[in-house]
Amino acid sequence: MEYVNPLTGFRIDGRRPNELRQIKGELGVVANADGSALFEMGNTRVIVAVYGPREVQNKSQQNNNQALVRCEYSMANFSTGDRTRRQKGDRRSTEISLVIRQTMEASILTHLMPRSQIDIFVQVLQADGGTRSACINAATLALADAGIPMRDIVTSCTAGYLCSTPLLDLNYVEDSAGGPDVTVGILSKMDKVTLLQMDAKLPMDIFENVMQLAIEGCKAIANYIREVLLENTKQLESRRGG
Amino acid sequence: MATTARGGGEREPAAGSGGGGGAAAEMEVEAYRRLFPVAYFERHLRESVRLDARPLASPRDTSVALGLVGSADGSALVKFGDTTMVAAIKLEVMTPPAESSDEGSVAVDFYMPPICSPTVRPGRSAEVAPVISKQLSDVIMSSGMINLKDLCLINGKASWIAYLDIYCLNADGSLFDAALVSAVAAFTHCIDDGRVVTVPGELEGKTKLPLVNKDKRKLMLNNVPFSLTCGLHKEHILVDPTAEEESIIETFVTVVLDTLGRVVSVYKPGGSVLAYTSILKECITLAKRRAQQLRNILNESVSAMEVDKSS
């Protein structure tokens, strides 16, 4: 299948190889939560709600030096093309929950909130490739909305390699093509990589190009997230009458 | 809980003296609200208002948006104030069982993921979720909203099964009402896209239905049910309670009516307030009014969608 048109260079959804899908972020979508955000990357739509810092529910896990971070990832039954009844504790959900938790934990200043717990709940409403990345981006926005102190903005993006071209931000069709899929999560200002996952095989020099492309994508998303947060702060300020 | 800003952020009347001096009096209000919730609530009822300044018989602002989930065959987002529900329908083909070979089927599932409320713990779903799931399933089937025979494709060989999944994204009271409206709205929007069905054993392997109806076909709904939950506290009837009110009130009555104003279901699961016939009649009248309101809102959003499609 022609993932990149040899004549025009366009991908199947009309994007160029180094073009991100349309992204959109919105804060404060769940009124009950301490912080929440909706993040869309193309057709992938994810809601994250953050509860915390609050009292640890399981006292045996309480840590006297830092906050406990928990994450739960779940996909709605209608989120993918086929309706599948997903069990709560299935392997993929557990793995992604772990990945998101560890990625966010690298950025949250947990030592400022000892003996407490921060819950990050992720709900995927529509899945079209890049769900992991959309979840991390949404989690960053939700944590900011909850006022939880973080070292830096964490953003994530995927990149792949099909038809001898590095492609940025794969959608579901490109992801299922069987080519390599590199997911990168970075702390944008500090320029540090906190998450790096890859499936399939790539020669070393091509891997470097693909990873660099993904990092560029992350930085672009970080700029957008910064704008969203600034806009939100301005609105809060004007509501407060400042 | 909302924090008070000095410039009139809170809308409730202050307890005791009428909104006294600045920060000190307002701190007392918040503390009073947490420490003595029932007294705070009853103080409002005496003035015939509720905690969010609504009159007793007034429901919250309701909005319905259709077609939100692109990957589903029908979907709707419903908001009752802060309570948010997303419903989506996916149609799949199944072989009907022998005893109902000319009927399709509807499977209803209601989920309360941990994002919806601080009281829902991960790993353990909310207590009310399966209760509401069963209530919804019963009401949808018994109201006859969908004629299962409409869902049949080939008698005995293939029929539609409609999987309806409802997710609560924010739980702020009246969960059953919001879920029912979202289910009804999703069915209104549900479009059968005329899939071609191959039946094993037949030479042609194509059904007549999709070939004849090339255009997308909507499900025919009759007798659409609408519900209203009222809380009973002492002698007051409160329409469309929020989560805070639900934690104080112990008795609820849910009335479900259909398009012709007939009572589909009445549900009063215990509670300390005993309801005389007069109170139940009052609830039914309030439910009639609400059903009309919901019907208008639903029709508006359906016609808004149709305008979007044609333009």
Side-chain angles (χ1 to χ4, degrees):
Chain A
M1 179 162 167
E2 226 176 52
Y3 294 101
V4 180
N5 188 311
L7 291 171
T8 58
F10 286 139
R11 292 150 78 169
I12 29 179
D13 55 1
R15 283 185 288 155
R16 294 204 170 279
N18 61 349
E19 205 179 310
L20 273 178
R21 285 176 292 182
Q22 195 171 41
I23 47 180
K24 178 176 168 234
E26 208 180 307
L27 289 172
V29 290
V30 176
N32 267 340
D34 292 322
S36 59
L38 169 75
F39 199 81
E40 293 180 21
M41 289 175 80
N43 283 331
T44 298
R45 200 182 270 164
V46 159
I47 283 192
V48 171
V50 167
Y51 286 96
R54 57 179 176 178
E55 200 184 335
V56 180
Q57 275 162 353
N58 190 349
K59 285 285 181 335
S60 60
Q61 292 178 333
Q62 185 171 291
N63 189 327
N64 286 333
N65 301 323
Q66 56 185 36
L68 199 66
V69 178
R70 284 205 312 181
C71 175
E72 195 181 273
Y73 167 95
S74 71
M75 296 182 80
N77 291 346
F78 46 75
S79 55
T80 54
D82 312 307
R83 184 223 186 238
T84 39
R85 206 220 189 90
R86 285 167 197 276
Q87 286 301 81
K88 259 263 168 103
D90 76 317
R91 290 192 309 205
R92 185 174 172 273
S93 298
T94 319
E95 191 246 331
I96 298 185
S97 304
L98 183 76
V99 164
I100 298 177
R101 175 169 69 78
Q102 292 183 320
T103 308
M104 302 323 293
E105 234 176 337
S107 180
I108 299 176
L109 295 165
T110 46
H111 62 277
L112 291 180
M113 299 161 285
R115 292 180 288 279
S116 68
Q117 172 179 307
I118 297 173
D119 285 321
I120 305 174
F121 297 127
V122 182
Q123 182 74 32
V124 177
L125 296 176
Q126 258 181 246
D128 187 26
T131 26
R132 208 170 295 226
S133 301
C135 293
I136 291 173
N137 296 328
T140 300
L141 279 174
L143 286 166
D145 189 39
I148 290 177
M150 294 194 282
R151 282 191 183 86
D152 197 352
I153 295 177
V154 186
T155 51
S156 167
C157 194
T158 55
Y161 189 74
L162 290 172
C163 302
S164 315
T165 333
L167 301 176
L168 180 61
D169 194 12
L170 306 173
N171 60 27
Y172 181 70
V173 180
E174 292 167 338
D175 201 358
S176 347
D181 171 14
V182 177
T183 308
V184 177
I186 60 168
L187 296 173
S188 52
K189 268 266 159 64
M190 295 171 77
D191 218 358
K192 292 191 175 175
V193 173
T194 153
L195 166 69
L196 179 57
Q197 282 185 305
M198 188 181 99
D199 305 314
K201 294 191 293 236
L202 264 188
M204 271 308 295
D205 46 348
I206 300 185
F207 171 72
E208 278 189 40
N209 286 343
V210 174
M211 180 170 139
Q212 203 47 49
L213 184 60
I215 292 181
E216 294 297 317
C218 291
K219 294 210 169 121
I221 297 178
N223 284 337
Y224 174 72
I225 285 185
R226 221 167 268 129
E227 273 172 35
V228 172
L229 290 173
L230 263 175
E231 187 57 46
N232 184 57
T233 311
K234 281 193 194 141
Q235 278 185 12
L236 287 175
E237 200 186 8
S238 65
R239 260 186 245 156
R240 199 162 166 252
Chain B
M1 280 288 135
T3 49
T4 57
R6 217 145 299 157
E10 285 286 353
R11 282 164 290 160
E12 302 101 15
S17 59
E26 283 171 9
M27 271 268 284
E28 245 185 82
V29 172
E30 268 305 305
Y32 191 68
R33 184 181 193 161
R34 299 295 182 108
L35 295 172
F36 309 105
V38 184
Y40 182 73
F41 183 56
E42 286 178 353
R43 180 79 177 71
H44 285 76
L45 289 183
R46 261 178 273 156
E47 315 285 332
S48 296
V49 271
R50 296 156 72 167
L51 299 178
D52 51 0
R54 274 189 283 159
L56 295 189
S58 174
R60 288 173 284 183
D61 282 336
T62 309
S63 67
V64 174
L66 297 176
L68 225 72
V69 180
S71 51
D73 295 305
S75 57
L77 171 78
V78 168
K79 289 182 104 161
F80 276 29
D82 275 339
T83 296
T84 312
M85 297 278 167
V86 171
I89 299 176
K90 291 214 97 158
L91 294 172
E92 277 178 24
V93 183
M94 67 161 190
T95 345
E99 59 270 16
S100 43
S101 59
D102 59 345
E103 285 181 351
S105 151
V106 175
V108 181
D109 271 310
F110 177 72
Y111 300 95
M112 282 182 69
I115 58 171
C116 72
S117 163
T119 53
V120 176
R121 291 167 58 170
R124 225 197 209 165
S125 55
E127 237 176 34
V128 290
V131 174
I132 294 180
S133 190
K134 172 103 189 14
Q135 262 184 289
L136 280 170
S137 183
D138 286 345
V139 164
I140 289 176
M141 297 324 323
S142 63
S143 67
M145 174 169 81
I146 300 179
N147 187 349
L148 292 179
K149 300 208 193 309
D150 273 347
L151 294 175
C152 177
L153 285 170
I154 306 174
N155 194 327
K157 297 247 174 66
S159 60
W160 288 123
I161 173 165
Y163 287 109
L164 170 65
D165 293 300
I166 305 176
Y167 284 78
C168 178
L169 296 181
N170 197 30
D172 193 24
S174 286
L175 299 180
F176 174 74
D177 293 348
L180 184 60
V181 175
S182 70
V184 165
F187 272 115
T188 328
H189 172 250
C190 184
I191 291 169
D192 156 20
D193 60 0
R195 257 167 267 185
V196 176
V197 175
T198 48
V199 178
E202 278 196 5
L203 282 178
E204 246 127 46
K206 285 200 183 141
T207 65
K208 286 213 181 97
L209 217 56
L211 291 179
V212 170
N213 294 2
K214 279 254 176 65
D215 310 314
K216 299 196 172 190
R217 172 174 90 108
K218 290 187 100 174
L219 281 177
M220 286 304 301
L221 300 179
N222 25 285
N223 278 336
V224 175
F226 289 106
S227 73
L228 179 67
T229 301
C230 304
L232 305 180
H233 186 80
K234 299 209 174 139
E235 67 281 5
H236 304 283
I237 302 181
L238 287 87
V239 165
D240 189 15
T242 62
E244 195 184 356
E245 290 168 345
E246 281 184 356
S247 63
I248 301 168
I249 304 174
E250 291 165 334
T251 314
F252 299 96
V253 178
T254 304
V255 176
V256 183
L257 303 173
D258 70 3
T259 359
L260 301 168
R262 295 179 299 195
V263 176
V264 172
S265 132
V266 175
Y267 185 67
K268 180 187 182 297
S272 49
V273 176
L274 304 171
Y276 294 98
T277 333
S278 53
I279 296 189
L280 286 176
K281 280 208 179 125
E282 173 87 32
C283 292
I284 295 180
T285 319
L286 289 165
K288 274 207 176 102
R289 214 191 309 161
R290 177 66 168 156
Q292 190 52 43
Q293 215 180 35
L294 288 173
R295 206 168 296 131
N296 292 341
I297 293 174
L298 194 56
N299 288 339
E300 262 176 43
S301 48
V302 169
S303 48
M305 262 216 66
E306 259 146 36
V307 168
D308 280 337
K309 275 214 189 120
S310 58
S311 63

